Amino acid sequence: MAGNARAQETIFALREQIAKLEGRPLPALAAAEQADLAQDPENHASRLDQPRLLLGVDAVDNALEGGLPLDGMTEIRTTLTADTGPATGFALALASQLKKQEDADAPILWMGDVVSTQEGGAPYPPGLKQFGLNPQDILYASPRKLEDALWLAETALVSGALSATIFEIRGNPKHFGLTESRRLALRAKTAGRPLFLLRHVAAEEASSASFRLLVEPAPAAGRRLPDGSVLGGSIGHPVFRLTLEKSRNPAPLSFLLEWNPHDRQFSLGPDTDRDTGEAFTHGNSPTHPGTRLSASADRQDRPKTLGSVVAFEQAS
Amino acid sequence: MRLTALDEVCERIGLKRGQGLAEARAMFPKIDVIDEDERADAALLEALADWCDRYTPLVALDGKNGLFLDITGCAHLFGGEEALLGDILKRLHHMGFDVKGVISSSPGLSWATCRFGKAGVIPEGLLEEALAPLPVNALRIGETTIASLHKLGLKRIGDLLTMPRAPLARRFGTQLLLRLDQARGANEEAISPRRPVSALSAERKLTEPVAAEDHILELTRHIATSLKSGLEARGVGGRMFELVLFRVDGRVFRITAGASQPLRDPARISALFSERLTAVHDDLDAGYGFELLRLNVLQHDTYKTTQGDFTGEGEGEISLADFIDKVSARLGVDCLQIAILRQSHVPERAMIFAPAITTPSAPEKTAFPFPFAPRTDRPLRLFRHPEEVKTFAATVPDGPPSRFRWRHVVHTVIQAEGPERIAPEWWLEETDVPERDYFRLESKAGRRFWIFREGHYNAKEDAPTWRMHGLFA
C-alpha cells in the first residue's frame, strides 16, 4: 500500500512539473480554484485572466485555449515565397489586434530578414494605414546577421518597451534551433511580451512556440456596400487560410479568417462562390516543371534516408 | 634628390637641409639615407596632436613638423606654464622625440622663438625683447621678401621694429606688417584646431593604467557623474558622447555613442558605451592600459525635466529610448529605423526610412503625420525594383491582364481592381517617364498583387511592360 501511495505521489509531482513547463494551471490548484470560484467569482475571473491575445472568433479562440499567448512565442509559417504577402498581413493583423486590445503607445518592432526583403519586398508603411495600424507605431530593424538578429530579439523582449516583436526568418537556418527558440520563448515569458516568429518558406521544425500557424492565401470576398450587398468585381478585406499546426489539439485545424482593417477585428472567412476547390492547392504549377532544386541554405541537399519508415509523425 | 630632414649628428657635422644627396654623400659617404614618406610623417604628427589633446582641446597642426596648442585657461591644471611645458617635453622626450617648445602670448612669437631662439616660457612683458634678436626668417614671410630685406641690411626683427611702418608697407606689402604684428601680439591670430571643441568634457587621470572593459565602464560612469552638474547647469542633456582613451604609449582611441534622447543619467551614459565597447571590441587594443579617460559631450539638446510620479508613469518612454540607444550603439545607427511618410503620389517616394535614433519618437512633433493618404489600398510589401511580368492577355487598352507569369509561375487573375493612374512627377523627373496604371489583382489561389502597366497600348510602339510592384495581405 505504502509503495503504491508513494508512486502516486511521484506521478502527481511529475504532472505538476509538466504542467508548470507547459504553463497550464496546476492540477492540484485547479481544485482549489473551484473552491475559490464558489466563494468569490470575480477574483476567480481575474485569476484566470492569463495574458492572451483574443482573435475574437470563438471557434478559433477555443482552439487556441483562449487566444494566442501574450507572454510567449507564436510561429507563423509559410511554405512558399509567394505567400509572403498573406504571412506579413496576418502578422500585422495580429499586431493591430493587439494594439486594439491593449490600447498602448508602445511601438511594434519589425525585424526584417535580408533575403525575405529581397524576395518578398520591403515592408511598405503607407499600406499600413488602411490595414489598421499607424505607420509610426512600427520600428523597423534590419540586422545583418542571424546572431545580431537573435541578440536584437532578446534585447527587445527584455526591454519590455515594445508591444510586440515580429521576427522574420527565412527557412530553417542551422543557427536557429531548439536552444535559440527556447531561449527566446523564456525571454518572452519573463517579459510578458509576445514574439511572433514569421518563418518564410520553412519546414516544420521542433520549437518552443506554443502555437504554430501555417498561413496560405485565400480568395477574398467582394467589398461590402453600406446596404449589405456585395460590390461585384471588387476585392474586399483580406482573407487568410490558416492551419493550426501546433497546439495541444491532436488534429490540425484549418480555417479561413477574414481581417477587417476598419473595425480591426477578425471574423471567420467567407464562403465564396469563387471557391473552385482548385484555389487552395499549393500554388500554381510552374511553366517548366522540372526537378525541384533543394532550397537548402544551411541544410543538406536531401533528407537522409532512414532505415524503414514506419509512420510519419508530425513534428511539434 | 635632396635632404629634407637631418638628425642631430648630421646637423653637427655640417649637413644642411636642401642639400643635394650626391653632395652629402661625397662629403660623408657613410650617411644613412631614408626615403621621405610624407604620409607617414603626417600620420605621426596627427597622432601626436591626438596625444596632445590631453593638455588642451585646441590643438592645431602647423606645417610638417609643428603643433600649436592653445593653452588658454589650461595651464593651471598642470601647475603653471613652466610645469606644463616641462611635462610635455619630458613625456615626448621619453617617447623618443626631439622637441622644442615655447610658451608665449602669441602664436607668431612662439613659432619664431621655437625655431630660431631659446626655448622656454616667454613672460608677458618681455615680448619685444625676445623678438628683437631673432632673424627676419622667423616671421613666416616669403623667400623673396626675406631676400630683399637682407639686401637692405635688415637682418634682425629688431631692425624692423624700430622702422616707420608706412615705408615698410609700401615696399614689402602688408603681409610683412601683418606677420610682425602677429608676432608682437598686437594682431590677434587664431589657430585652427583640428577638432571642434566639445561643449562639455570631463576627464580622469589614472596613476595605474586600466585595460579591462569593466573598469573603463566604471570610470566612464564616474566621469559622467562629474559631467552631470555641468549638464544640469545648462539645462541640457547630451545627445552625442565621445569617450577618448589615451593609451600609455601615446595612442589615442575615440569612441562615439549617440542617444535618442538627451541624457544626463551616468548609468545610462555608461550603458551606451558598454554596447559600443562590445561592438568595437576587436579594434580596441588596450595594450598596457589606458592612463587617461575623457568624456566629451559633442552634441546636446534641451533636457525636458519631468517629475516622476508614484505610479511610475513615463518609465515606458525611457525604456524605449534605452532600447533604441542600445541597439544603435551595438548594431549601428542604421539598424533601427522608423518610416517617415512623404508627400508624393509615386509609391516608392511616398516614404523614407530614417534612423530611429535621430528622429523624435513623439508623433506630435511631426506637423503632418499623414501628408498624403492615398484613397486606394496600398500593399504591405513593396519591391524596391518592380519586377517585370509577362502578361499573356490583357484587356486593351486599359484593362488588367487576365493571366500573367511572374517568377516562372503563371497566375490566373480572378478579380481585378483598377486602374489607378499615377502620373510621373514631372517637376522631379529629368527624362520622360511613362505613366503607370496600377491594378490590384487577385489570383485564383487568393494571392493579391499590385501590378502596373508602364505606358499605354498603341499601334506605333511595342506593347508596354507590366511590372510587379507589391504584395497585399
Side-chain angles (χ1 to χ4, degrees):
Chain A
M1 273 309 270
N4 196 9
R6 195 173 296 157
Q8 284 277 340
E9 203 172 292
T10 319
I11 285 174
F12 277 130
L14 284 173
R15 267 194 197 144
E16 264 182 28
Q17 214 166 348
I18 291 170
K20 219 183 256 174
L21 281 177
E22 291 185 338
R24 275 184 302 178
L26 301 178
L29 285 179
E33 266 177 18
Q34 287 292 331
D36 273 359
L37 180 62
Q39 287 174 358
D40 189 359
E42 277 181 26
N43 185 23
H44 178 72
S46 67
R47 229 174 150 181
L48 263 188
D49 186 28
Q50 281 179 324
R52 290 273 172 177
L53 172 63
L54 297 171
L55 296 193
V57 180
D58 286 342
V60 180
D61 281 341
N62 286 340
L64 295 172
E65 296 163 39
L68 293 172
L70 277 187
D71 57 349
M73 194 163 88
T74 306
E75 221 175 293
I76 299 162
R77 183 175 83 95
T78 65
T79 49
L80 298 171
T81 311
D83 295 347
T84 309
T88 307
F90 182 61
L92 288 173
L94 286 178
S96 171
Q97 178 85 357
L98 178 68
K99 278 260 174 212
K100 181 189 167 196
Q101 183 177 316
E102 295 197 329
D103 198 21
D105 288 336
I108 292 156
L109 178 67
W110 175 279
M111 291 171 50
D113 164 65
V114 180
V115 183
S116 301
T117 307
Q118 285 164 358
E119 293 287 307
Y124 188 57
L128 291 175
K129 183 84 175 106
Q130 285 134 336
F131 202 73
L133 274 169
N134 187 344
Q136 286 170 334
D137 277 347
I138 301 197
L139 278 174
Y140 295 91
S142 45
R144 263 171 251 151
K145 292 180 287 180
L146 185 61
E147 291 82 69
D148 290 348
L150 287 170
W151 175 84
L152 180 56
E154 214 179 315
T155 316
L157 288 170
V158 169
S159 77
L162 301 154
S163 80
T165 308
I166 301 173
F167 185 3
E168 225 181 9
I169 297 184
R170 190 179 170 81
N172 300 64
K174 207 192 284 171
H175 297 293
F176 191 85
L178 196 56
T179 323
E180 285 78 12
S181 102
R182 176 98 190 113
R183 194 179 162 103
L184 286 181
L186 285 175
R187 288 279 184 231
K189 186 140 196 86
T190 10
R193 295 318 316 165
L195 173 69
F196 300 118
L197 204 59
L198 193 54
R199 306 196 70 160
H200 300 293
V201 206
E204 285 179 272
E205 197 182 56
S207 83
S208 289
S210 20
F211 297 103
R212 184 174 53 233
L213 291 146
L214 174 71
V215 185
E216 284 163 305
R223 288 182 193 272
R224 287 200 178 277
L225 296 174
D227 61 355
S229 59
V230 173
L231 178 67
S234 62
I235 306 168
H237 298 318
V239 179
F240 313 104
R241 182 172 186 76
L242 301 171
T243 310
L244 187 55
E245 286 181 332
K246 184 185 172 185
S247 71
R248 299 233 174 78
N249 289 336
L253 178 73
S254 228
F255 49 90
L256 289 177
L257 265 192
E258 189 185 65
W259 168 248
N260 183 337
H262 289 280
D263 303 339
R264 298 165 91 182
Q265 68 178 20
F266 286 106
S267 56
L268 273 185
D271 297 321
T272 46
D273 318 330
R274 300 182 207 165
D275 184 355
T276 50
E278 194 193 354
F280 295 146
T281 52
H282 272 272
N284 296 327
S285 54
T287 7
H288 307 293
T291 328
R292 279 209 177 176
L293 292 175
S294 57
S296 65
D298 280 337
R299 270 177 294 166
Q300 282 167 333
D301 57 346
R302 63 197 64 201
K304 271 185 191 162
T305 44
L306 299 171
S308 58
V309 180
V310 180
F312 286 117
E313 273 190 6
Q314 186 194 2
S316 62
Chain B
M1 294 231 272
R2 293 192 171 273
L3 302 180
T4 54
L6 302 166
D7 73 354
E8 292 161 3
V9 180
C10 291
E11 271 175 358
R12 215 179 312 122
I13 59 180
L15 291 177
K16 288 200 178 66
R17 262 181 224 136
Q19 207 168 19
L21 177 61
E23 187 190 340
R25 278 250 165 85
M27 289 162 73
F28 305 98
K30 280 188 181 169
I31 53 169
D32 281 339
V33 181
I34 303 165
D35 281 344
E36 189 185 20
D37 183 351
E38 284 189 10
R39 206 178 290 170
D41 287 349
L44 179 69
L45 194 63
E46 285 273 345
L48 274 181
D50 260 342
W51 179 85
C52 285
D53 269 355
R54 64 176 59 213
Y55 295 106
T56 164
L58 298 168
V59 180
L61 300 177
D62 169 38
K64 280 183 180 179
N65 56 359
L67 289 177
F68 279 126
L69 274 68
D70 187 344
I71 54 159
T72 316
C74 298
H76 70 279
L77 298 171
F78 300 88
E81 290 175 350
E82 294 275 0
L84 173 63
L85 189 60
D87 188 52
I88 297 180
L89 295 181
K90 194 182 84 193
R91 281 169 184 265
L92 284 173
H93 177 75
H94 284 306
M95 283 188 213
F97 293 101
D98 175 26
V99 189
K100 268 175 98 179
V102 171
I103 294 183
S104 76
S105 53
S106 77
L109 179 58
S110 292
W111 193 93
T113 324
C114 207
R115 282 168 174 78
F116 297 94
K118 192 171 147 285
V121 180
I122 300 169
E124 187 74 32
L126 301 174
L127 279 188
E128 309 230 332
E129 285 83 338
L131 199 55
L134 297 177
V136 284
N137 307 26
L139 277 181
R140 295 181 286 168
I141 44 178
E143 294 282 336
T144 45
T145 322
I146 292 173
S148 45
L149 282 172
H150 277 253
K151 218 179 271 175
L152 296 177
L154 301 168
K155 300 234 162 112
R156 312 249 148 227
I157 297 177
D159 302 338
L160 295 173
L161 287 173
T162 49
M163 290 196 48
R165 293 170 62 87
L168 271 182
R170 211 162 42 231
R171 178 131 193 188
F172 301 104
T174 48
Q175 179 71 10
L176 175 67
L177 285 182
L178 176 73
R179 288 301 190 194
L180 199 58
D181 286 347
Q182 282 177 345
R184 284 194 317 179
N187 196 336
E188 192 73 25
E189 183 189 357
I191 65 168
S192 40
R194 300 159 58 238
R195 301 178 166 277
V197 184
S198 50
L200 273 168
S201 106
E203 64 183 30
R204 179 66 58 96
K205 268 191 212 126
L206 307 170
T207 43
E208 184 74 18
V210 294
E213 260 175 38
D214 288 352
H215 296 168
I216 295 174
L217 288 177
E218 181 62 22
L219 282 165
T220 310
R221 209 169 58 77
H222 281 293
I223 302 170
T225 316
S226 51
L227 269 185
K228 198 179 171 198
S229 59
L231 289 169
E232 272 167 2
R234 293 160 189 235
V236 294
R239 283 290 299 272
M240 180 73 89
F241 294 93
E242 184 187 46
L243 183 65
V244 193
L245 300 163
F246 293 83
R247 208 165 71 177
V248 179
D249 59 359
R251 216 173 140 191
V252 179
F253 293 91
R254 292 170 191 275
I255 303 167
T256 49
S260 59
Q261 283 182 336
L263 284 190
R264 271 183 199 169
D265 184 14
R268 291 186 64 196
I269 295 173
S270 125
L272 281 184
F273 284 103
S274 123
E275 295 302 333
R276 284 298 293 151
L277 284 178
T278 326
V280 300
H281 187 266
D282 292 339
D283 298 330
L284 188 73
D285 179 10
Y288 293 109
F290 302 105
E291 55 174 346
L292 178 67
L293 278 81
R294 176 181 295 161
L295 188 64
N296 291 333
V297 182
L298 297 184
Q299 265 179 41
H300 56 72
D301 220 337
T302 321
Y303 188 86
K304 261 193 265 168
T305 331
T306 46
Q307 189 172 12
D309 58 12
F310 291 119
T311 56
E313 209 145 295
E315 273 182 18
E317 236 170 76
I318 289 182
S319 64
L320 178 63
D322 236 4
F323 169 71
I324 293 175
D325 294 350
K326 213 170 166 182
V327 175
S328 305
R330 171 87 169 248
L331 302 181
V333 182
D334 288 333
C335 182
L336 211 55
Q337 300 183 313
I338 64 165
I340 297 173
L341 301 189
R342 309 285 298 273
Q343 198 134 21
S344 173
H345 296 269
V346 179
E348 56 265 37
R349 290 198 193 127
M351 55 137 310
I352 49 163
F353 284 113
I357 195 166
T358 53
T359 324
S361 55
E364 68 264 12
K365 284 196 184 171
T366 344
F368 304 102
F370 303 111
F372 166 65
R375 303 288 293 275
T376 52
D377 282 357
R378 286 285 179 264
L380 289 179
R381 302 190 80 125
L382 195 80
F383 291 105
R384 189 161 295 152
H385 306 288
E387 294 176 8
E388 194 170 335
V389 161
K390 169 100 179 117
T391 53
F392 297 117
T395 325
V396 175
D398 288 334
S402 54
R403 279 171 80 224
F404 64 91
R405 188 167 68 205
W406 175 52
R407 291 182 180 174
H408 307 294
V409 178
V410 177
H411 297 270
T412 309
V413 177
I414 300 283
Q415 292 292 339
E417 283 183 347
E420 179 190 355
R421 177 159 296 179
I422 297 181
E425 292 174 330
W426 51 262
W427 55 96
L428 291 178
E429 310 287 358
E430 288 186 352
T431 52
D432 204 14
V433 178
E435 292 175 342
R436 298 173 180 178
D437 279 357
Y438 277 91
F439 290 93
R440 204 175 159 225
L441 304 179
E442 187 178 78
S443 76
K444 209 174 194 177
R447 300 197 176 93
R448 288 166 280 274
F449 302 104
W450 210 36
I451 179 173
F452 69 85
R453 191 189 62 228
E454 231 170 3
H456 305 280
Y457 283 103
N458 55 28
K460 288 173 207 153
E461 293 163 37
D462 294 342
T465 42
W466 290 80
R467 288 181 190 278
M468 173 70 64
H469 206 178
L471 300 176
F472 287 97

